[in-house]
Amino acid sequence: MDLQEIFFYFFSFMVLGIGSITAFSKNLLRAAFALFFVLFGMAGFYILLGADFLAIVQILVYAGGISVLLIFGTMLTGDVSKPEMSSPSFHGVYTFIIGIAFLTLILGVLKSTKWSEMPISTMEPTTNSIGKLLLTEYLLPFEVVSFLLLAAMIGALVLIIKKESHES
Amino acid sequence: MDYIQTLIPWTPILPLFGAIILGLFGKKIHQNYGENIAGILGCATPFLAAIIAFSSFFYLISLDPSQRIITINLTDWFSVADLRVSWTFKYDPLSALMLMIITGIGTLIHIYSMGYMQGDKSYWRFFAYINLFLASMLLLVLGDNLIIMFLGWEGVGLCSYLLIGFWFTEKANAVAGKKAFIVNRIGDLGFLTGIFLVFYFSATHFDVVSLSFGELEGRVDYFSQFTIWGMPLLEVTAFCFFIGATGKSAQIPLHIWLPDAMAGPTPVSALIHAATMVTAGVYMIGRMYFLFTLAPNVLAYISIIAAITCFFAATIGMAQYDIKKVLAYSTLSQLGYMFLAMGVGAFSAGVFHLLTHAAFKAALFMGSGSVIVAMHHEQDMRFMGGLLKKMPATGWSMIAGTLAIMGFPLTSGFFSKDEILWQAWHQGSPALWLVGFLAAGITSFYMWRLIFMTFFGPTRASKETYSHCHEQPYRTIVPIIILAIASLTIGFLNIPHFLGGHSGFTQYLTPSLIDIKGPEGDHTSLEWGLMIASVIWTFLTGFIAYYFYLKNPEARTKLMENSSAQGIFSVLNNKYYIDELYEKVILNPIRRLYLALNEFDQKVIDGIVNFMGFFGKLLGNLSGKADSAIVDGAVNEAAWLIQLGGKGFSVQQSGRIQVLIGGSVILLVLGGVYFLLSL
Amino acid sequence: MNLDGYLTISAALFALGLIMFLSKKNSIAILMGVELILNAAALNFVAFAHFRPSLGSQLDGQIFAIFIILLAAAEAVVALAIALAVFQKHQHVRADKLTELHG
């Protein structure tokens, strides 16, 4: 086994293991923190896949921003320590089955498809390339996404502020 | 010839008219014009018929003997294949004689009934029935073929039933009528079988069958070669016809109805059960003498049965208290004599006794009727006695009849009975003679017993009844007197040779009947001997009756204290318990069968019907339930399913995204699986 | 380490996210499930970008993954804002109890 494989297994374990915690934990805060670490694991995967810039972005934005946001949300909306926060009921069994079924399906598809793989190229730093791409080929989506972010911010503010002003 | 051809057919038709008119309008006539008019109407028809009968008779004897068989063809009746039956009457010496007896005695009895039935509210019905009877009887004796004879045969049976059960509101009378009819019917079965046999063999060997007596007489020789069921045809046929005679003329074992028939009015007993209907059997054998002549075994059987009946009935008559019952058993006994004569082949002797018996028995019955009415419908002789002073005409007429029946010398009964007894010895066997001889003595005994108990000695009736007792009016006693005189004198018609006569009666009957001749030879001394023996014997028994019933009644009571005498008496009084025997052996099993069949009908057949009903009801219930369960259930199920679907589908509309996504994933999985599998 | 592996991981993660999404009662938990799903998708893209590059440039998948992250951020913001607003109104964010819009 070479190092890549070890790292792969390490990261997969991390993601899946901690992802399980996220999924099946009754304590929502624990789940939120686990999500944080899952996202780190994902970043690890990205590095393995040669997407270095993406990995960093993942850590910065996803793990650092979104995940923290979720933790905030968890804390702000309800009592954290109570188990009723998120308790899968019996109908969690069904969802589990559905999930497993879905998984089986996808895996089945995966396994039965012959992926013709290109030879692994050397890994280069991608930051440069991504920057270039974003501003040439993917300019439109880039701009749209920034617009989208703006709209999201405004929308969030509107939602919150409006409520507050009504309250007072 | 024309005279007879045109008039004779009216003899049955006139009483038939009378019957129809009285039957339809009798009630009105009775109510509006009084019963006498109905009675006169009822008597007129037989009287006219009697005029025709007697005048035709005199015309007949003016003819040459060879021409005395006259066939009167009226019209065709029906014809089916080979069978061609027509309305044909045969007027010959035998039927002429019967015609005179029936219409003559019939008219007298009709006149007598006007008095006897006086005050009865069904007066008109009586005359209607008795006219109908007369018509049927005339048809019987005039018929030229077996079918017409059978028609009359059945008709007299019917009228006998109607008249015995005339006062049907009393159950016993109706039962007696029923008994008579049913027993008669059993005999008729034999008669019909005989007709069928004759027809069958006639039809298979000849072209045309008319069942007339002339045709039968011609063919009977041809039939003598055939056998049926292993026995000679003629024997079997004769036997079948004799069974019919057994029923109609009350021989053993079908005699049981005659004593019970006394439940009917006395004129009925006189006419039907003494003079005419019961003699139909004798007539029938005489008519078909040619058949019986060729069936010697049957004749032997007839004579044995007749002898048994004769003796047996006489013994019962000894021990009866009812005056009419004594006369009934006497009739049975005398019928036995007639059949005895027929059985030994002395057909004309039998017919002669028929004639004399008709006269004296009708007189005796009518006399007894007169006594009964005078004693306010008392029939038990134990309550009579000493009536001669009160009712001399009746009394002496009955004594005349008694003399005739016992065979007092020179009475009619003497000649006829002695002739029979002689023929029984001569052509039968001494054993037969002995039975008849003994019976003659017993006859004398019981008849004198009757006379002594009724007319002589101190009276045992109540004072009141005795004081009211008086002689009946003329219309009642004149017929009795006429017949009494006849019973004393008719005998001279047939004085046998050994006494110096010509047996005129036998000769008269010859074209119709031919007797079987017994062994030839001169038996004069034997005849004298037998005759004197009978006379002495009957005198002796008459004297015994006189002794025990008139002279020394205490001796009788002392004799009756003996227990064996009492035993014998009660057996005789109860008619040898034959009715009880029949009841037990024949009727009870039939009753059980009837009850079983009734049970079967009720349980099984009605059960099936009820079960069908129950089953139908069950089905109805089930289908109702099925309807509510299945049909409604289906509807309900459908609704439930739709509801379920609706509920299921409404889950889709839950608005909860989790559910929505969940559903989508499920569908995706399913679709994917399907897609994968189909690849 | 080969495509299958990454795709498997991605699928498993997706399943986990799906299960979480479908079964949790808390809205925030549901959002977390969505995050997992998005991550799985992103991983998928990146895996494909690495092992089987598109006809375009090799980095298409990565670009897409970036966009996914961006969109996830936007979505999380808005969702959380809504969750807070709902919390202010109802004092809970339980999805099974928020049925005002239910037909």
Side-chain angles (χ1 to χ4, degrees):
Chain A
M1 284 217 294
D2 61 317
L3 202 61
Q4 226 182 5
E5 275 184 41
I6 294 170
F7 271 116
F8 174 76
Y9 285 123
F10 170 71
F11 282 125
S12 67
F13 180 74
M14 186 176 173
V15 163
L16 287 178
I18 298 176
S20 304
I21 294 172
T22 313
F24 301 122
S25 166
K26 286 191 171 39
N27 193 336
L28 190 59
L29 203 59
R30 196 167 289 175
F33 274 104
L35 186 67
F36 182 75
F37 283 105
V38 167
L39 294 170
F40 269 103
M42 293 299 293
F45 271 132
Y46 292 152
I47 291 172
L48 279 175
L49 287 169
D52 50 344
F53 178 68
L54 190 61
I56 301 300
V57 167
Q58 166 95 348
I59 292 170
L60 281 174
V61 174
Y62 225 127
I66 296 170
S67 183
V68 169
L69 202 60
L70 280 173
I71 291 169
F72 265 122
T74 309
M75 287 187 206
L76 282 173
T77 62
D79 205 2
V80 174
S81 57
K82 277 203 207 125
E84 71 185 21
M85 282 206 99
S86 61
S87 58
S89 58
F90 75 94
H91 97 111
V93 176
Y94 293 135
T95 56
F96 188 75
I97 291 168
I98 291 169
I100 296 298
F102 186 79
L103 179 63
T104 315
L105 176 68
I106 300 290
L107 286 177
V109 171
L110 274 177
K111 292 290 187 272
S112 62
T113 317
K114 280 196 168 28
W115 306 105
S116 58
E117 297 173 22
M118 297 277 279
I120 298 170
S121 60
T122 56
M123 304 226 208
E124 309 165 338
T126 57
T127 312
N128 210 2
S129 317
I130 288 175
K132 273 196 193 150
L133 275 176
L134 274 178
L135 290 169
T136 52
E137 272 189 59
Y138 300 100
L139 180 63
L140 183 60
F142 178 68
E143 293 300 329
V144 169
V145 163
S146 40
F147 195 72
L148 180 74
L149 281 168
L150 179 67
M153 266 198 304
I154 294 171
L157 280 170
V158 164
L159 280 171
I160 297 299
I161 287 172
K162 213 169 185 173
K163 287 282 189 259
E164 277 185 10
S165 67
H166 270 189
E167 288 289 309
S168 58
Chain B
M1 208 70 77
D2 276 337
Y3 179 80
I4 289 181
Q5 293 273 5
T6 47
L7 280 184
I8 287 295
W10 286 101
T11 38
I13 291 175
L14 281 168
L16 187 64
F17 267 171
I20 291 173
I21 291 173
L22 280 170
L24 292 175
F25 307 114
K27 192 151 189 169
K28 293 269 175 55
I29 296 173
H30 188 166
Q31 282 168 349
N32 297 337
Y33 300 107
E35 55 184 32
N36 279 331
I37 301 293
I40 289 173
L41 196 62
C43 293
T45 46
F47 183 65
L48 290 171
I51 292 175
I52 297 174
F54 278 89
S55 55
S56 306
F57 168 72
F58 285 116
Y59 184 81
L60 189 74
I61 55 176
S62 71
L63 295 173
D64 188 66
S66 60
Q67 287 189 326
R68 287 190 191 164
I69 301 180
I70 302 167
T71 319
I72 307 163
N73 193 341
L74 293 173
T75 178
D76 287 335
W77 187 358
F78 64 88
S79 53
V80 178
D82 287 345
L83 183 64
R84 225 152 281 170
V85 176
S86 55
W87 289 99
T88 316
F89 291 154
K90 186 180 209 158
Y91 189 70
D92 66 350
L94 179 61
S95 56
L97 174 73
M98 294 300 296
L99 223 62
M100 284 196 293
I101 294 174
I102 295 165
T103 53
I105 297 184
T107 311
L108 290 173
I109 292 183
H110 273 69
I111 297 171
Y112 171 85
S113 330
M114 280 180 71
Y116 191 87
M117 299 298 290
Q118 185 184 21
D120 195 303
K121 66 174 170 54
S122 303
Y123 194 82
W124 57 275
R125 192 159 60 92
F126 181 82
F127 279 98
Y129 286 162
I130 209 168
N131 268 0
L132 184 64
F133 169 80
L134 222 60
S136 309
M137 190 72 202
L138 288 169
L139 209 59
L140 197 159
V141 299
L142 278 176
D144 186 39
N145 56 50
L146 282 166
I147 304 293
I148 306 280
M149 180 189 256
F150 189 65
L151 184 64
W153 191 273
E154 292 291 303
V156 297
L158 170 70
C159 294
S160 170
Y161 161 75
L162 289 171
L163 285 165
I164 292 172
F166 185 72
W167 292 311
F168 55 81
T169 45
E170 288 285 322
K171 189 163 180 198
N173 299 342
V175 168
K178 206 169 62 171
K179 187 172 178 179
F181 192 75
I182 291 175
V183 175
N184 231 263
R185 249 334 188 186
I186 299 172
D188 291 348
L189 181 64
F191 195 95
L192 270 177
T193 312
I195 295 181
F196 292 153
L197 284 170
V198 168
F199 170 69
Y200 177 70
F201 278 91
S202 245
T204 49
H205 296 279
F206 294 93
D207 279 332
V208 176
V209 181
S210 70
L211 291 176
S212 74
F213 294 117
E215 176 191 278
L216 193 60
E217 190 172 359
R219 293 181 183 178
V220 80
D221 279 324
Y222 183 75
F223 289 149
S224 57
Q225 58 184 295
F226 296 119
T227 60
I228 183 164
W229 307 321
M231 294 172 281
L233 169 67
L234 292 179
E235 298 272 359
V236 174
T237 315
F239 184 72
C240 289
F241 281 123
F242 179 64
I243 292 177
T246 314
K248 185 69 73 187
S249 305
Q251 297 299 295
I252 292 181
L254 298 175
H255 65 283
I256 45 176
W257 64 272
L258 190 55
D260 286 15
M262 297 300 120
T266 311
V268 170
S269 309
L271 180 61
I272 300 181
H273 306 126
T276 44
M277 189 182 96
V278 293
T279 58
V282 183
Y283 167 76
M284 187 259 298
I285 295 180
R287 227 336 145 228
M288 294 203 282
Y289 76 97
F290 41 84
L291 175 68
F292 285 92
T293 316
L294 292 174
N297 291 322
V298 174
L299 285 179
Y301 173 77
I302 293 175
S303 44
I304 293 171
I305 291 280
I308 295 172
T309 309
C310 177
F311 181 76
F312 166 79
T315 54
I316 298 179
M318 279 202 302
Q320 298 298 316
Y321 289 124
D322 185 335
I323 194 171
K324 280 179 73 174
K325 285 270 183 357
V326 175
L327 291 174
Y329 284 104
S330 168
T331 308
L332 270 182
S333 179
Q334 299 298 311
L335 283 170
Y337 273 115
M338 290 182 229
F339 279 101
L340 179 60
M342 305 309 254
V344 297
F347 303 122
S348 59
V351 176
F352 186 52
H353 195 63
L354 191 159
L355 171 67
T356 58
H357 174 264
F360 60 69
K361 195 46 72 63
L364 284 168
F365 262 114
M366 287 203 282
S368 72
S370 160
V371 167
I372 289 169
V373 167
M375 297 293 283
H376 290 282
H377 292 281
E378 177 59 68
Q379 292 185 223
D380 195 326
M381 293 192 292
R382 291 174 288 189
F383 300 114
M384 298 182 190
L387 295 180
L388 190 59
K389 300 185 273 291
K390 290 275 183 161
M391 311 173 67
T394 309
W396 284 111
S397 305
M398 285 193 75
I399 289 174
T402 309
L403 289 172
I405 199 172
M406 74 178 264
F408 191 87
L410 301 183
T411 55
S412 59
F414 166 74
F415 286 111
S416 62
K417 198 190 284 194
D418 264 12
E419 183 65 26
I420 293 176
L421 287 175
W422 158 242
Q423 296 292 357
W425 177 291
H426 178 64
Q427 285 173 206
S429 76
L432 289 171
W433 172 86
L434 184 65
V435 173
F437 173 75
L438 291 171
I442 298 173
T443 307
S444 165
F445 172 77
Y446 67 66
M447 284 312 298
W448 283 110
R449 169 179 174 262
L450 185 148
I451 296 291
F452 290 135
M453 278 180 88
T454 312
F455 291 106
F456 290 95
T459 182
R460 295 176 292 282
S462 69
K463 261 211 167 32
E464 204 189 313
T465 320
Y466 191 67
S467 60
H468 283 162
C469 171
H470 62 87
E471 188 58 86
Q472 296 298 303
Y474 279 119
R475 63 181 171 191
T476 305
I477 56 173
V478 165
I480 307 177
I481 295 172
I482 293 175
L483 284 174
I485 295 171
S487 62
L488 291 174
T489 54
I490 292 181
F492 296 109
L493 284 175
N494 199 20
I495 304 174
H497 286 282
F498 77 98
L499 288 174
H502 310 284
S503 297
F505 187 82
T506 314
Q507 283 184 351
Y508 160 75
L509 278 180
T510 309
S512 306
L513 298 176
I514 301 173
D515 295 342
I516 299 173
K517 289 281 177 275
E520 286 295 321
D522 184 28
H523 306 277
T524 319
S525 51
L526 188 59
E527 292 184 57
W528 272 106
L530 293 176
M531 185 189 79
I532 292 176
S534 330
V535 169
I536 295 174
W537 170 236
T538 52
F539 269 83
L540 182 67
T541 50
F543 182 74
I544 292 173
Y546 169 72
Y547 180 74
F548 277 117
Y549 283 92
L550 194 59
K551 186 121 195 254
N552 197 357
E554 297 85 27
R556 186 178 97 240
T557 36
K558 227 161 78 174
L559 185 67
M560 289 312 289
E561 275 161 26
N562 187 353
S563 63
S564 60
Q566 280 175 4
I568 295 176
F569 183 80
S570 76
V571 167
L572 295 179
N573 194 3
N574 285 312
K575 313 161 272 172
Y576 292 91
Y577 300 106
I578 287 222
D579 275 315
E580 287 77 4
L581 181 71
Y582 281 175
E583 180 85 20
K584 219 187 231 185
V585 171
I586 297 174
L587 293 182
N588 275 345
I590 291 180
R591 280 207 193 96
R592 278 203 289 271
L593 180 67
Y594 148 75
L595 282 173
L597 289 175
N598 195 30
E599 276 294 302
F600 179 74
D601 176 56
Q602 279 191 342
K603 293 263 170 63
V604 176
I605 293 176
D606 286 2
I608 290 175
V609 173
N610 286 347
F611 177 69
M612 285 299 161
F614 163 75
F615 194 62
K617 216 168 72 150
L618 186 70
L619 273 181
N621 273 348
L622 278 178
S623 65
K625 287 213 179 84
D627 176 55
S628 64
I630 295 173
V631 174
D632 292 356
V635 172
N636 287 346
E637 278 304 303
W640 182 76
L641 275 172
I642 291 173
Q643 238 185 6
L644 192 66
K647 275 205 194 107
F649 282 111
S650 76
V651 167
Q652 213 187 39
Q653 300 293 322
S654 68
R656 288 163 51 198
I657 191 151
Q658 288 174 306
V659 175
L660 293 177
I661 301 291
S664 315
V665 171
I666 291 170
L667 282 173
L668 179 64
V669 167
L670 289 172
V673 166
Y674 171 72
F675 191 64
L676 267 184
L677 288 177
S678 65
L679 275 178
Chain C
M1 85 237 118
N2 57 352
L3 183 60
D4 271 352
Y6 285 106
L7 293 180
T8 310
I9 303 292
S10 157
L13 203 59
F14 190 100
L16 280 171
L18 188 66
I19 289 169
M20 197 173 168
F21 171 84
L22 289 176
S23 72
K24 296 289 182 184
K25 287 184 188 155
N26 198 310
S27 310
I28 311 292
I30 293 171
L31 279 168
M32 284 188 222
V34 175
E35 294 306 325
L36 281 178
I37 287 169
L38 285 169
N39 266 293
L43 179 62
N44 222 348
F45 272 113
V46 174
F48 271 116
H50 186 255
F51 285 105
R52 192 169 170 247
S54 62
L55 289 172
S57 66
Q58 197 181 352
L59 300 170
D60 279 342
Q62 292 185 15
I63 302 291
F64 213 89
I66 289 175
F67 281 120
I68 288 176
I69 291 168
L70 289 169
L71 285 169
E75 173 243 335
V77 163
V78 173
L80 275 166
I82 294 173
L84 281 171
V86 167
F87 184 76
Q88 275 182 347
K89 180 113 197 274
H90 296 281
Q91 273 74 49
H92 70 87
V93 283
R94 290 192 56 174
D96 52 349
K97 292 219 177 108
L98 295 168
T99 55
E100 271 182 31
L101 285 177
H102 193 219

